[in-house]
């Protein structure tokens, strides 16, 4: 049996048991609403477009934050890969920063930017930047010396060597870095939105919780999970695989 | 003299930062258009010597002149083929061969030039393939085409066929000889196969080890195509072997001593 089919059967069974438990009254709707209620809540959310506005708002913050994180992360990564001094100073600090969950910066961000989009985008950027920088650094440092020597015998050096050989050779790390940056940024975004103002998926989640709308809470959690796994598996893992294949890894 | 290597020495620092001499007083003159093999046991410094000629490694002292110009850095007058094909996996075959041509030629000219050399190594049907889709032998032919495409005066080859199976190797020997006759390049060919060096070269430089020195310089006076002169080749093989045997024995016994002393 194909893994995809196994997965579908598994989910169907899980949802079936959940529905069954609700109908048998093993738990109350207040604690765990039934799949039907969750589905209805989602349906209403999409019908009156609130969830659509939430998705648009969340993706806008993510797009801005992640793009900046990738650009800044790549620049820092190149800098610390190329300069020993930068690596000894900035490089070692990155490891420390990377171990701080980026949501920790939100109170600071709110003081600086106020309780708004900017603060959330700021934590998204922090979420993605460090892991990208560290991966770019590793990628550049791991470029096979053979490629560099071969390119040198063909007259390539300096910037030309970097653009045509060193950077493309580290593409597998760029892809992995981007995937991890996305994952961290996505988590940072949700955490940031929970504590900030709407619209946004995270905001709707905390709003629904405040009003005891458990069906919507679970519905939004499911949306967050589905988006996360679609982006990771359908987009990044595919790119990673095809890159690894071509790069002969 | 076309290439002249004068009093070349190379030292590396070992683990304890002590200098060890890898090449000692190398003296070698090579004429334009010659096919010269460098033969020697593992670790005698063949790759190091080739890499100094390529300009990738600097000598500790001594110098290498090509047409009276001292070599200090890599240049397009010297193409290099490594033991592993060293093709760039992110671009296809023809783009790999065009790599050295990007700056000095229009795209059209570069494409034409690349196609010409890919045809020479009989890979015209694989222009759009990516390196990971080719066999080891095909990859090595692409890297030969790539080195030839920038039309260097000198072709440096470091055990280019070392990783290939016997049949592929034999076929590539034929192709390389043809290319050499057609293009009149000066070839410096590193190998540790005696028969390979006899099959291909005008001269064989036999190196000894620890430190790497030139033991002897043997002229191969067998008319081409050489496969029609099996007897002469075998005879020369014995002759070369007599030089190499002592060196190989030396390496083996040193390694054995090294092991027992631990
Ligand atoms: N970068 C380096 N630093 C220190 N020692 C080196 C370095 N490169 C080579 N050596 C040493 O120099 C010696 C010669 O190496 P080289 O690779 O030139 O040998 P070789 O003749 O090409 O051997 P093989 O036939 O196995 O390829 C070896 O003992 C090696 O350990
Ligand atoms: Mg070698």
């Amino acid at each position: 049996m194909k893994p995809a089919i196994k997965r579908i059967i598994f989910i169907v069974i899980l949802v079936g048991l959940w529905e069954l438990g609700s109908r048998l009254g093993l738990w109350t709707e207040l604690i765990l609403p039934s799949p039907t209620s969750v589905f209805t809540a989602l349906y209403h959310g999409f019908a009156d477009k609130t969830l659509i506005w939430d998705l648009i708002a969340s993706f806008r913050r993510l797009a801005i934050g992640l793009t900046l994180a990738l650009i800044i992360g790549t620049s820092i990564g190149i800098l610390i890969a190329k300069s020993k001094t930068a690596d000894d100073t900035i490089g070692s600090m990155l490891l420390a920063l990377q171990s701080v969950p980026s949501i920790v910066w939100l109170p600071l961000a709110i003081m600086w930017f106020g309780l708004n989009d900017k603060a959330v985008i700021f934590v998204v950027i922090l979420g993605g930047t460090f892991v990208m920088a560290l991966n770019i650094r590793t990628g550049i440092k791991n470029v096979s010396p053979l490629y560099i020597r071969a390119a040198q015998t063909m007259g390539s050096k300096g910037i030309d060597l970097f653009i045509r050989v060193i950077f493309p050779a580290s593409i597998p790390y760029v892809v992995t870095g981007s995937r991890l940056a996305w994952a961290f940024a996505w988590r940072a975004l949700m955490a940031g939105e929970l504590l900030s103002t709407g619209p946004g998926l995270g905001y709707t989640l905390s709003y629904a919780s405040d009003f005891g709308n458990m069906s919507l809470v679970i519905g939004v959690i499911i949306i967050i999970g589905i988006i996360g796994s679609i982006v990771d598996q359908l987009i990044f893992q595919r790119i990673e695989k095809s890159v690894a294949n071509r790069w002969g890894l | 003299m076309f290439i002249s290597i004068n009093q070349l020495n190379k030292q590396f620092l070992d683990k304890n930062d002590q200098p060890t001499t890898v090449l000692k007083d190398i003296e070698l003159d090579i004429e334009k258009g010659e096919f010269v093999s460098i033969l020697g046991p593992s670790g005698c410094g063949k790759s190091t010597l080739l890499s100094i000629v390529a300009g990738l490694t600097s000598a500790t002292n001594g110098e290498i002149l090509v047409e009276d110009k001292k070599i200090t850095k890599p240049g397009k007058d010297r193409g290099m083929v490594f033991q592993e094909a060293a093709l760039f996996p992110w671009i296809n075959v023809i783009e790999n061969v065009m790599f050295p041509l990007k700056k000095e030629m229009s795209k059209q000219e570069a494409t034409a030039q690349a196609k010409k050399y890919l045809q020479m190594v009989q890979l015209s049907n694989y222009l759009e393939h990516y390196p990971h889709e080719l066999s080891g032998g095909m990859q090595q032919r692409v890297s030969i085409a790539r080195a030839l495409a920038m039309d260097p005066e000198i072709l440096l080859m470091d055990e280019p066929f070392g990783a290939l199976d016997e049949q592929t190797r034999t076929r590539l020997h034929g192709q390389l000889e043809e290319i050499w006759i057609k293009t009149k390049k000066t070839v410096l060919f590193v190998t540790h196969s005696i028969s390979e060096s006899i099959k291909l070269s005008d001269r064989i430089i036999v190196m000894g080890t620890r430190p790497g020195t030139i033991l002897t310089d043997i002229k191969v006076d067998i008319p081409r195509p050489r496969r029609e002169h099996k007897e002469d080749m075998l005879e020369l093989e014995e002759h070369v072997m007599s030089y190499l045997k002592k060196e190989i024995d030396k390496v083996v016994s040193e390694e054995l001593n090294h092991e027992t002393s631990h």
Side-chain angles (χ1 to χ4, degrees), chain B residues 215-259:
Chain B
L215 294 180
T216 181
D217 183 341
I218 299 169
K219 208 158 176 59
V220 184
D221 262 331
I222 306 172
R224 296 173 196 261
R226 296 212 167 126
R227 66 189 121 76
E228 289 162 19
H229 303 271
K230 289 244 157 63
E231 298 268 299
D232 296 342
M233 282 166 71
L234 280 178
E235 201 175 303
L236 188 58
E237 196 164 328
E238 305 248 312
H239 179 62
V240 177
M241 191 63 202
S242 65
Y243 278 102
L244 265 186
K245 185 137 192 346
K246 274 176 268 164
E247 285 306 313
I248 293 171
D249 287 347
K250 194 165 113 190
V251 174
V252 169
S253 71
E254 262 179 37
E255 274 169 10
L256 283 179
N257 285 340
H258 191 70
E259 254 167 46

Side-chain angles (χ1 to χ4, degrees), chain B residues 12-13 22 40-49 83 158-159 192:
Chain B
F12 280 117
L13 294 182
V22 170
S42 186
C44 70
K46 307 182 292 293
S47 297
T48 306
L49 177 59
Q83 177 164 3
D158 191 356
E159 300 190 44
H192 48 220

Side-chain angles (χ1 to χ4, degrees), chain B residues 164-180:
Chain B
L164 306 177
D165 64 83
E166 193 59 45
Q167 279 110 311
T168 312
R169 198 180 312 165
T170 309
R171 236 183 32 186
L172 292 196
H173 286 155
Q175 283 188 8
L176 177 62
E177 191 175 21
E178 243 172 65
I179 288 169
W180 171 67

Side-chain angles (χ1 to χ4, degrees), chain A residues 70 74 132 135-136 139 167 170-179:
Chain A
L70 295 182
T74 303
M132 186 64 181
N135 269 275
I136 295 284
F167 194 73
S170 39
I171 291 291
Y173 288 87
V174 175
V175 174
T176 305
S178 306
R179 180 164 74 88

Side-chain angles (χ1 to χ4, degrees), chain B residues 73-143:
Chain B
K73 57 179 197 296
K76 290 191 181 184
D77 55 331
R78 285 152 284 140
M80 178 120 177
V81 178
F82 299 85
Q83 177 164 3
E84 294 138 278
L87 299 175
F88 302 131
W90 53 91
I91 46 181
N92 64 23
V93 165
I94 185 148
E95 287 164 339
N96 261 289
V97 178
M98 285 161 67
F99 185 93
L101 309 177
K102 278 266 159 70
K103 264 194 235 145
E104 65 234 33
M105 281 183 197
S106 72
K107 187 144 194 245
Q108 228 176 351
E109 285 173 301
T111 312
Q113 178 98 337
K115 281 186 176 159
K116 174 177 145 192
Y117 286 100
L118 280 165
Q119 189 174 14
M120 207 178 270
V121 295
Q122 299 173 3
L123 283 173
S124 295
N125 289 332
Y126 293 89
L127 305 182
E128 310 290 332
H129 282 62
Y130 280 86
H132 76 274
E133 299 168 319
L134 306 180
S135 71
M138 289 156 98
Q139 289 185 12
Q140 205 49 289
R141 275 144 69 198
V142 176
S143 80

Side-chain angles (χ1 to χ4, degrees), chain A:
Chain A
M1 216 189 309
K2 275 192 182 166
I5 297 177
K6 279 190 214 167
R7 244 169 261 156
I8 289 169
I9 293 176
F10 174 69
I11 288 170
V12 168
I13 292 176
L14 204 65
V15 174
L17 289 176
W18 176 11
E19 181 73 40
L20 193 70
S22 297
R23 302 241 165 148
L24 292 176
L26 296 184
W27 51 77
T28 67
E29 280 278 306
L30 219 68
I31 303 222
L32 181 62
S34 71
T36 338
S37 327
V38 170
F39 182 80
T40 317
L42 283 180
Y43 177 80
H44 286 305
F46 279 109
D48 67 11
K49 298 210 176 66
T50 48
L51 282 178
I52 294 180
W53 291 120
D54 286 336
L55 280 170
I56 292 172
S58 291
F59 273 106
R60 197 182 71 86
R61 295 191 190 105
L62 183 71
I64 297 172
L66 187 55
T67 307
L68 288 173
L70 295 182
I71 294 171
I72 300 169
T74 303
S75 314
I76 297 177
I78 292 172
L79 178 71
I80 55 181
K82 287 282 159 197
S83 152
K84 177 100 174 57
T85 313
D87 196 21
D88 291 340
T89 52
I90 304 171
S92 59
M93 194 161 81
L94 279 188
L95 283 172
L97 287 173
Q98 173 58 25
S99 63
V100 178
S102 54
I103 191 61
V104 165
W105 302 102
L106 190 68
L108 200 63
I110 290 173
M111 301 256 286
W112 288 346
F113 305 109
L115 189 65
N116 55 26
D117 255 12
K118 281 192 198 137
V120 178
I121 291 173
F122 180 76
V123 293
V124 172
I125 295 174
L126 286 185
T129 300
F130 306 133
V131 72
M132 186 64 181
L134 290 170
N135 269 275
I136 295 284
R137 169 183 173 273
T138 312
I140 290 174
K141 291 218 156 177
N142 280 339
V143 172
S144 160
L146 188 63
Y147 291 152
I148 295 173
R149 290 159 63 84
Q152 285 172 333
T153 64
M154 294 185 282
S156 185
K157 55 177 189 281
I159 303 269
D160 182 73
L161 181 69
F162 184 81
I163 294 175
R164 293 173 71 202
V165 179
I166 296 176
F167 194 73
S170 39
I171 291 291
Y173 288 87
V174 175
V175 174
T176 305
S178 306
R179 180 164 74 88
L180 294 172
W182 135 262
F184 281 109
W186 179 240
R187 286 156 179 71
L189 174 70
M190 288 306 128
E193 284 185 351
L194 272 174
L195 304 173
S196 141
T197 58
L201 280 177
Y203 171 73
T204 296
L205 184 65
S206 74
Y207 180 84
S209 157
D210 288 347
F211 284 81
N213 186 350
M214 279 306 276
S215 307
L216 191 56
V217 168
I218 293 182
V220 172
I221 291 176
I222 291 174
I223 293 179
I224 294 173
I226 288 175
I227 292 173
S229 58
I230 285 179
V231 174
D232 193 70
Q233 293 183 15
L234 258 48
I235 302 179
F236 282 112
Q237 289 195 12
R238 281 194 186 180
I239 299 176
E240 226 169 25
K241 217 180 250 172
S242 78
V243 163
N245 185 19
R246 183 182 294 175
W247 265 246
L249 301 171

